[in-house]
Amino acid sequence: MALTRNAVDRFEASRPRLEAIAYRLLGSASEAEDAVQDTFLRWQAADVDRIEVPEAWLTKVLTNLCLNELTSARARRETYVGQWLPEPLLAGDPMLGPADTAEQRESVSYAVLTLLERLTPNERAVYVLRTAFDYPHREIAEILDLTESACQQIFHRAKKHVAQGRSRTEIDEEAARRIVEEFLAAATSGQTDLLVKMLTNDAVSIGDGGGKIPAKATPFEGALAVAKFMRGLFKPSKAKRNLVGGSPEVYAATANGVPAVVAVVDGRVVGIMCVEVGADGIAAFRNQVNPDKLDRATRRWAAVDRGEPLFTAF
């Protein structure tokens, strides 16, 4: 069924919100784009003139498509090579969605997106819709075909699970750059003890190479182990240059609301290291080097002037 221009415009007005919901639910920008496109196809096939509240209809369709995808994604991730991490988004990407409140900003942080992987699909949907988009429980219940009381119980359970593993420290862009610069200075100094002082005792480093770029299958744990890994990571070597196609330019940036190290070769983002900062120091590094999860970041990088790199690695 051909849509009228008005019907297309109504959908396009909802697209940014739908993409932001889908990204939080799926942890993948490419999968989020696919889910929104599938939602459009269903909108195209529907009798849109009979839909009283388009926003509610579109949200319900999208959410259920994402729930189906989450169910199948769990099976795929059982065979995923190494650690699975979400796809990072650089500051300013519209898919990050609303960031007016601390809860909204936290809901798209890399740490929380990783924690959401532990939730059931329904728990994840309720948490995202309530925390990031302020949907009332009544509307969420209608979207998920639940009772309102069941929705409230699911939300409290999901919120508790997420709260147990998150860092609540908020960092502005200026502070993020300073943290990244201090970390990189320590990492390239060759002195492990300088790095150890910046880390919490239980610091971890997790890498996602997707089987395409070498990444340790299990996390590095503890300040000393993480510090030794980071010191080695920035040591120059021909093998590293061959692996990524050259010598990366290294920048301080922000991704998903946290400090980030971005490595770029000939305009192509080859790695994003998200740095989780707690009250006592750096608590975690989450390193995305899977090229399949860096395409959107590369497009975003090309659209904005990032200034001069801090240094050239390898």
Side-chain angles (χ1 to χ4, degrees):
M1 181 183 298
L3 291 176
T4 65
R5 169 50 57 185
N6 182 54
V8 172
D9 290 344
R10 289 163 74 184
F11 181 87
E12 291 302 323
S14 294
R15 184 183 290 275
R17 179 181 56 83
L18 295 175
E19 288 189 343
I21 292 173
Y23 173 68
R24 283 169 166 83
L25 288 177
L26 300 174
S28 165
S30 58
E31 290 178 5
E33 290 171 343
D34 289 344
V36 172
Q37 185 59 28
D38 286 345
T39 302
F40 176 74
L41 294 177
R42 283 159 175 74
W43 175 252
Q44 190 176 37
D47 186 354
V48 297
D49 291 334
R50 296 175 64 87
I51 297 174
E52 295 182 3
V53 186
E55 180 180 285
W57 188 93
L58 291 169
T59 303
K60 182 179 179 70
V61 170
L62 174 81
T63 301
N64 282 284
L65 285 169
C66 288
L67 291 178
N68 291 337
E69 179 61 25
L70 281 172
T71 301
S72 61
R74 286 179 182 273
R76 291 198 304 274
R77 287 170 194 170
E78 289 178 0
T79 60
Y80 192 82
V81 178
Q83 298 286 316
W84 185 95
L85 289 174
E87 181 176 347
L89 297 181
L90 296 171
D93 193 312
M95 196 175 278
L96 289 169
D100 298 326
T101 67
E103 289 77 13
Q104 288 174 333
R105 292 189 292 274
E106 187 179 56
S107 73
V108 78
S109 73
Y110 215 53
V112 167
L113 286 179
T114 304
L115 288 169
L116 291 181
E117 288 295 305
R118 304 178 186 177
L119 305 183
T120 67
N122 267 358
E123 286 174 340
R124 188 163 182 161
V126 171
Y127 181 85
V128 165
L129 292 173
R130 179 65 183 151
T131 303
F133 296 91
D134 202 28
Y135 278 83
H137 285 295
R138 176 183 54 78
E139 291 185 22
I140 299 174
E142 292 174 357
I143 290 170
L144 299 176
D145 294 324
L146 300 169
T147 65
E148 188 170 347
S149 61
C151 181
Q152 291 171 334
Q153 291 173 2
I154 290 171
F155 175 69
H156 289 306
R157 186 165 64 244
K159 191 175 181 180
K160 182 179 179 180
H161 287 324
V162 172
Q164 289 173 346
R166 70 187 175 192
S167 170
R168 299 190 65 89
T169 304
E170 285 203 62
I171 303 293
D172 60 32
E173 288 197 29
E174 183 178 343
R177 181 179 180 86
R178 185 173 63 252
I179 289 167
V180 169
E181 289 176 347
E182 291 174 357
F183 157 69
L184 289 172
T188 56
S189 71
Q191 300 181 50
T192 305
D193 58 326
L194 292 180
L195 274 171
V196 170
K197 290 177 182 178
M198 296 188 68
L199 309 178
T200 61
N201 291 334
D202 59 351
V204 297
S205 177
I206 305 169
D208 178 350
K212 300 184 177 184
I213 298 292
K216 192 169 181 286
T218 57
F220 291 92
E221 298 181 344
L224 183 58
V226 172
K228 287 181 176 179
F229 166 67
M230 289 297 167
R231 187 189 65 183
L233 182 64
F234 289 96
K235 281 185 177 179
S237 81
K238 183 178 180 181
K240 292 175 185 175
R241 291 192 293 272
N242 290 339
L243 185 65
V244 298
S247 297
E249 295 179 327
V250 178
Y251 296 81
T254 305
N256 292 77
V258 301
V261 178
V262 180
V264 182
V265 175
D266 296 331
R268 175 173 53 91
V269 175
V270 297
I272 296 178
M273 176 188 293
C274 291
V275 184
E276 182 183 334
V277 181
D280 300 321
I282 296 175
F285 297 94
R286 294 182 174 86
N287 314 313
Q288 185 56 260
V289 292
N290 182 346
D292 293 342
K293 298 182 182 180
L294 295 171
D295 283 345
R296 187 178 178 96
T298 294
R299 296 196 301 271
R300 179 71 191 170
W301 192 264
V304 180
D305 180 13
R306 300 291 177 176
E308 294 299 315
L310 297 175
F311 62 92
T312 299
F314 308 163

